[in-house]
Amino acid sequence: MIQIQRFVCNMISENTYVVSDETGEAVIIDCGAYDTDEQTDIKTYIERNNLRPVRFIATHGHVDHNFGSKFVYDTWGLKLNIHAADEALITQLPQQAVSLLGLSMTADDFAPVGAYLHADDIITFGHHRLTILETPGHTPGGVFYYCEAEKVAFSGDTLFQGSIGRTDLPGGSMFMLIQSLRMISQLPDDTTVYPGHGEATTIGHEVASNPYLDR
């Protein structure tokens, strides 16, 4: 059984997740921890529960989901893994910080990329695995990380409770996002979705009530 702990981080209330199982191995997803207090909360949770982070992944390359990447790298030695189609975004995080949030940052404020992922890659930890569902639209390399065995998915900014991610930033495409949503709407209705912002939902709830999803 996996354990999922959410941390709401930074000035945009981004969701960072620590996902673990009974082995103690853990995956850190979308570390947006911006300040010391947020980073301390994550570190304390991991240490108190005797967890061993073994993978560090991002659902996409926007800066609010990656503020804490250097913290993860410095603390656990994990380099970031992100879909290859978001390489341009992840290498321009300082520019994003300025243009989107008015923050002055440099490349040294972020972790190096350890691997660029593709759809056939598998993220493993403990007794579990996350498959990659490519969901471009919010960004070219946006993905769902899907654990079929537990019927959970981490959607980044592709899908929110009652809404979807914006497509007006560089690399965004409403056409591609709608295609992605049609694909993920085929997941089982009882799949719990953990989004990049806001509260968790299910595929069934979103298909029934989200105006952007249908079958």
Side-chain angles (χ1 to χ4, degrees):
M1 183 104 164
I2 63 172
Q3 301 294 322
I4 300 169
Q5 182 66 39
R6 178 180 70 148
F7 299 87
V8 180
C9 296
N10 67 56
M11 64 290 294
I12 310 183
S13 297
E14 178 269 352
N15 291 333
T16 295
Y17 296 100
V18 176
V19 185
S20 60
D21 71 7
E22 62 275 9
T23 68
E25 289 193 349
V27 176
I28 300 172
I29 303 176
D30 283 356
C31 191
Y34 179 72
D35 62 35
T36 302
D37 288 344
E38 294 168 351
Q39 295 169 6
T40 298
D41 286 345
I42 294 170
K43 187 171 184 287
T44 299
Y45 170 79
I46 288 173
E47 290 178 346
R48 284 181 177 172
N49 289 278
N50 298 312
L51 302 181
R52 301 183 306 280
V54 295
R55 296 296 295 268
F56 174 34
I57 56 180
T59 58
H60 65 291
H62 282 155
V63 67
D64 56 316
H65 291 253
N66 291 280
F67 276 130
S69 64
K70 186 174 187 298
F71 153 68
V72 173
Y73 179 59
D74 289 346
T75 306
W76 295 286
L78 296 175
K79 294 182 179 180
L80 180 68
N81 291 184
I82 190 168
H83 194 280
D86 267 6
E87 180 177 1
L89 284 175
I90 206 68
T91 57
Q92 296 174 356
L93 291 175
Q95 295 90 326
Q96 289 187 50
V98 171
S99 63
L100 297 177
L101 299 167
L103 300 174
S104 179
M105 304 182 77
T106 71
D108 290 338
D109 293 316
F110 302 96
V113 174
Y116 286 107
L117 303 173
H118 299 85
D120 56 350
D121 290 318
I122 303 293
I123 307 299
T124 60
F125 66 101
H127 298 143
H128 290 81
R129 50 192 276 161
L130 301 174
T131 58
I132 296 172
L133 306 181
E134 294 176 322
T135 56
H138 179 65
T139 68
V143 301
F144 265 46
Y145 292 109
Y146 176 49
C147 182
E148 182 178 9
E150 301 279 353
K151 293 187 179 179
V152 300
F154 300 88
S155 65
D157 289 1
T158 296
L159 178 65
F160 304 128
Q161 185 182 88
S163 188
I164 60 173
R166 60 191 292 185
T167 58
D168 59 334
L169 297 174
S173 166
M174 179 58 79
F175 173 79
M176 292 300 296
L177 186 56
I178 293 301
Q179 298 305 308
S180 296
L181 294 171
R182 287 176 178 168
M183 182 268 292
I184 62 97
S185 71
Q186 303 305 310
L187 293 174
D189 284 347
D190 57 350
T191 301
T192 301
V193 177
Y194 293 89
H197 303 268
E199 301 299 321
T201 185
T202 66
I203 291 295
H205 177 78
E206 296 310 307
V207 168
S209 62
N210 190 319
Y212 296 97
L213 266 70
D214 61 50
R215 289 176 175 161

